[in-house]
Amino acid sequence: QLASALWDQGAIHLELAQFYCETALKLDPSQADANLFLGYFLQRAGYTEEAIEQYRHAIRKNILRSAKPQIALGNVLLKQAVQ
């Protein structure tokens, strides 16, 4: 979440935000939020398939706690279908 806040403020660039999320996952692979945010940053960078993969990881880890990963996945799949 820190990477997202810093990126939203313009304090870090997209690649560094991705790095922070990847580091968080290395430290604690159970963190669904890190997958969710990594997916978001990958999507912003144009890596749609990789973003989808991260959203799916977040969904598997985040069963019944939050709908955010499902919403993010649905949005990216909808954008793919429209293109």
Side-chain angles (χ1 to χ4, degrees), residues 9-76:
Q9 294 174 0
I12 60 174
H13 53 83
L14 199 53
E15 293 80 13
L16 187 55
Q18 290 173 12
F19 173 76
Y20 286 160
C21 292
E22 290 166 353
T23 301
L25 286 168
K26 286 178 185 173
L27 294 172
D28 185 357
S30 70
Q31 290 297 313
D33 283 347
N35 290 107
L36 175 64
F37 287 114
L38 180 56
Y40 171 74
F41 294 130
L42 287 167
Q43 185 179 353
R44 295 287 301 199
Y47 298 107
T48 305
E49 294 303 318
E50 292 86 347
I52 289 170
E53 181 180 335
Q54 291 303 317
Y55 292 145
R56 288 185 171 146
H57 285 305
I59 290 167
R60 283 192 288 275
K61 294 177 186 179
N62 193 35
I63 301 298
L64 301 178
R65 283 193 266 159
S66 170
K68 290 178 185 178
Q70 290 92 337
I71 292 168
L73 178 60
N75 285 335
V76 74

